[in-house]
Amino acid sequence: MKRGAEVKKASHSRVEKRLNAAWVQSAPPGRHADGGGLYLQVDSSGARRWYIRLVVRGKRRDLGLGSLKYVSLAQARAKALEMRAIARAGGNPRAAERRKEGHGITFRDMAIEVHSRKFKGGQHNGKHVAQWIRTLEIYAFPLIGDLSISEIHSDDVEQIIDPIWDSKPETARRVLQRVSTVFDHACGKGYRGASNPARGLRGLMREQRVTSEHFQALNYHDVTKLMYWLQENDAIGSYALRFAILTAARSAPVRLATWEQVSEDFTVWTIPGGNMKSREEFQIPTSIPVRNLLLDLRSRFGKRAGYIFPSPQNPAKPLSENTMRKLLQSQYPGATVHGMRASFRTWAAEAVNARHEVAETALAHTVSSKTVAAYLRTDYLNERHMLMEMWGMWVMGEWEWFDDRMDIETEINDRLFGGVLAQT
């Protein structure tokens, strides 16, 4: 008889050896059976864990029950008994365990987990992180935040969306999409026996009234993903689209840009009035990613006159106006190059709270009347320089700097001028 084991007489005069609570704490390395498919596995390191061997829907499975540190012998036997009953009835014990676990997880818990995985990824924690969850905090949490993730139905989700479907159509669609993402994750984790209650709800809602149309723009949270994809493409159109995104410029000045328009140190791009919608010369302070892009192009093609982004078919001509659009829409159907300026403007307002005058000037928009402009002789060049460097960091995925405005400005100063960038 195994040392420390209990002896129990079973029916049919069979003797079954069972473990006891004291002995399992000092059991030697190896696999020790308790009966009924329950085992204690002791590793050479001394780690001790329970598992049960079952036949689940015709296949033998070993299912873990947890470490001895957290699951006692009595608890392991109780869990094993429950799993055996489920398996004998033709069910999946592990799926049942996950659904049972889901009863104790609220929608709020699941949303916070999804939010962390979707945006932080262990490395990003900028303002965009709070913005995604904030819509759920405002619209979803008050109604379903404390409900079990496994017990929420379509009617519950509709109560969130219906009141804002007409008054805040874009917000309603975003909230619905984010709620659906949370439930997709819950279903994938096995916390729900039912399907995603938000799936298909949009098709059942009444048609929303659209009052105006704008250039379709990417959510600024998606710009980094687009940039990563573009960096894998060394076609001239990819360089041009990256340049347009980073400078927030219209497509025409980008296509018509020449090397003569860029300062020798690549820090300023001066667009002649003929290439501007306003017909006035405009200067764009370039960020470090823009300078790196230009240096890369120079290293590839050498010093030359003419267009920075020439047509591949005829270098004497500028890039076709459709090249950047087709490239962008190959990844984001319906998106427009001009819409990337809207992405920048929304980011400037929401992510860094840029001054209205500075953000509008960065887009070469008129920010005052002719009378005011006659006295206001400034182009906010220094502030725009700081703003474009921030945009470059955001686009290139350096979101960790956006928690604190002072930290990011200090970092930019250090990168550029050793801390001597003038403040206005």
Side-chain angles (χ1 to χ4, degrees):
M1 182 176 70
K2 189 179 294 182
R3 186 182 63 178
E6 299 172 347
V7 178
K8 178 182 178 182
K9 285 191 176 182
S11 57
H12 311 296
S13 301
R14 186 181 66 187
V15 176
E16 182 181 13
K17 297 179 180 179
R18 305 194 75 187
L19 308 178
N20 65 55
W23 186 80
V24 296
Q25 299 294 335
S26 59
R31 185 179 67 180
H32 307 286
D34 184 63
L38 177 62
Y39 294 91
L40 174 69
Q41 178 68 43
V42 181
D43 296 338
S44 58
S45 65
R48 300 160 192 274
R49 62 185 183 278
W50 300 104
Y51 73 90
I52 183 172
R53 177 162 292 179
L54 293 170
V55 176
V56 180
R57 296 175 180 173
K59 294 183 179 181
R60 192 175 73 176
R61 300 282 179 84
D62 289 345
L63 304 178
L65 303 180
S67 167
L68 178 61
K69 184 184 299 185
Y70 304 108
V71 181
S72 67
L73 173 59
Q75 290 171 326
R77 286 172 176 170
K79 292 179 74 172
L81 180 64
E82 182 181 350
M83 286 188 164
R84 284 196 296 269
I86 294 171
R88 282 197 297 268
N92 185 333
R94 180 57 69 210
E97 281 285 301
R98 299 295 280 179
R99 286 195 295 272
K100 184 178 179 181
E101 185 180 347
H103 288 305
I105 298 176
T106 66
F107 178 86
R108 188 192 313 272
D109 296 332
M110 194 82 266
I112 291 172
E113 179 181 335
V114 172
H115 164 246
S116 178
R117 291 188 59 180
K118 183 176 179 65
F119 290 106
K120 289 185 179 178
Q123 56 182 335
H124 302 307
N125 59 358
K127 286 186 178 180
H128 64 290
V129 175
Q131 291 162 357
W132 191 90
I133 198 78
R134 182 60 179 159
T135 52
L136 298 182
E137 290 174 344
I138 295 172
Y139 300 103
F141 287 3
L143 294 175
I144 66 172
D146 297 324
L147 299 182
S148 168
I149 193 69
S150 64
E151 298 175 350
I152 298 172
H153 300 285
S154 294
D155 289 347
D156 300 312
V157 179
E158 188 173 358
Q159 287 183 28
I160 301 169
I161 304 303
D162 188 72
I164 59 173
W165 187 252
D166 296 318
S167 60
K168 301 177 181 179
E170 181 61 28
T171 298
R173 291 194 295 270
R174 289 181 180 179
V175 171
L176 181 58
Q177 187 275 328
R178 290 165 188 175
V179 168
S180 182
T181 298
V182 173
F183 282 113
D184 277 342
H185 187 69
C187 292
K189 297 274 281 188
Y191 293 152
R192 288 181 57 84
S195 60
N196 184 338
R199 186 70 57 82
L201 186 57
R202 181 170 179 175
L204 298 176
M205 297 297 291
R206 57 193 173 276
E207 184 177 352
Q208 292 176 314
R209 294 180 180 180
V210 180
T211 57
S212 61
E213 284 192 19
H214 301 282
F215 289 103
Q216 187 166 334
L218 251 64
N219 187 304
Y220 60 83
H221 294 125
D222 294 328
V223 176
T224 298
K225 182 168 63 174
L226 170 62
M227 185 61 67
Y228 285 161
W229 178 77
L230 289 171
Q231 287 180 301
E232 299 298 319
N233 186 335
D234 62 356
I236 197 67
S238 173
Y239 278 96
L241 182 54
R242 284 150 54 191
F243 187 87
I245 293 169
L246 287 163
T247 58
R250 293 182 174 88
S251 59
V254 171
R255 294 189 305 105
L256 299 174
T258 64
W259 289 105
E260 289 75 15
Q261 296 171 10
V262 181
S263 61
E264 290 186 2
D265 59 359
F266 291 168
T267 58
V268 178
W269 171 34
T270 301
I271 306 174
N275 294 352
M276 291 293 297
K277 183 178 180 180
S278 64
R279 295 303 170 186
E280 294 181 0
E281 183 182 279
F282 184 67
Q283 288 188 323
I284 295 181
T286 59
S287 62
I288 291 175
V290 173
R291 278 168 262 174
N292 289 338
L293 183 151
L294 293 172
L295 286 169
D296 190 19
L297 282 172
R298 269 286 170 89
S299 67
R300 286 186 59 193
F301 302 107
K303 289 187 177 182
R304 64 184 184 189
Y307 297 110
I308 298 176
F309 309 106
S311 167
Q313 289 73 35
N314 185 353
K317 293 184 178 181
L319 193 69
S320 165
E321 61 182 7
N322 292 323
T323 301
M324 288 188 284
R325 177 181 58 82
K326 289 181 179 179
L327 185 62
L328 175 59
Q329 292 185 355
S330 70
Q331 293 298 302
Y332 293 93
T336 63
V337 179
H338 194 92
M340 299 305 302
R341 287 164 53 83
S343 303
F344 165 81
R345 186 63 184 89
T346 305
W347 165 86
E350 295 185 358
V352 295
N353 194 28
R355 288 206 298 146
H356 173 80
E357 296 86 349
V358 177
E360 287 296 293
T361 302
L363 293 170
H365 288 166
T366 301
V367 295
S368 60
S369 66
K370 291 183 178 180
T371 301
V372 173
Y375 292 93
L376 186 64
R377 303 294 180 89
T378 179
D379 57 4
Y380 306 101
L381 191 63
N382 285 340
E383 286 189 69
R384 286 197 290 124
H385 194 169
M386 180 66 73
L387 183 62
M388 299 314 293
E389 289 292 351
M390 289 182 184
W391 175 238
M393 292 169 74
W394 179 278
V395 170
M396 303 309 294
E398 295 186 68
W399 294 338
E400 65 273 13
W401 292 103
F402 287 82
D403 277 345
D404 188 290
R405 178 66 177 252
M406 183 174 294
D407 282 351
I408 191 172
E409 290 186 1
T410 301
E411 174 64 15
I412 290 172
N413 273 316
D414 289 341
R415 291 186 185 188
L416 295 175
F417 311 112
V420 299
L421 181 61
Q423 300 296 307
T424 58

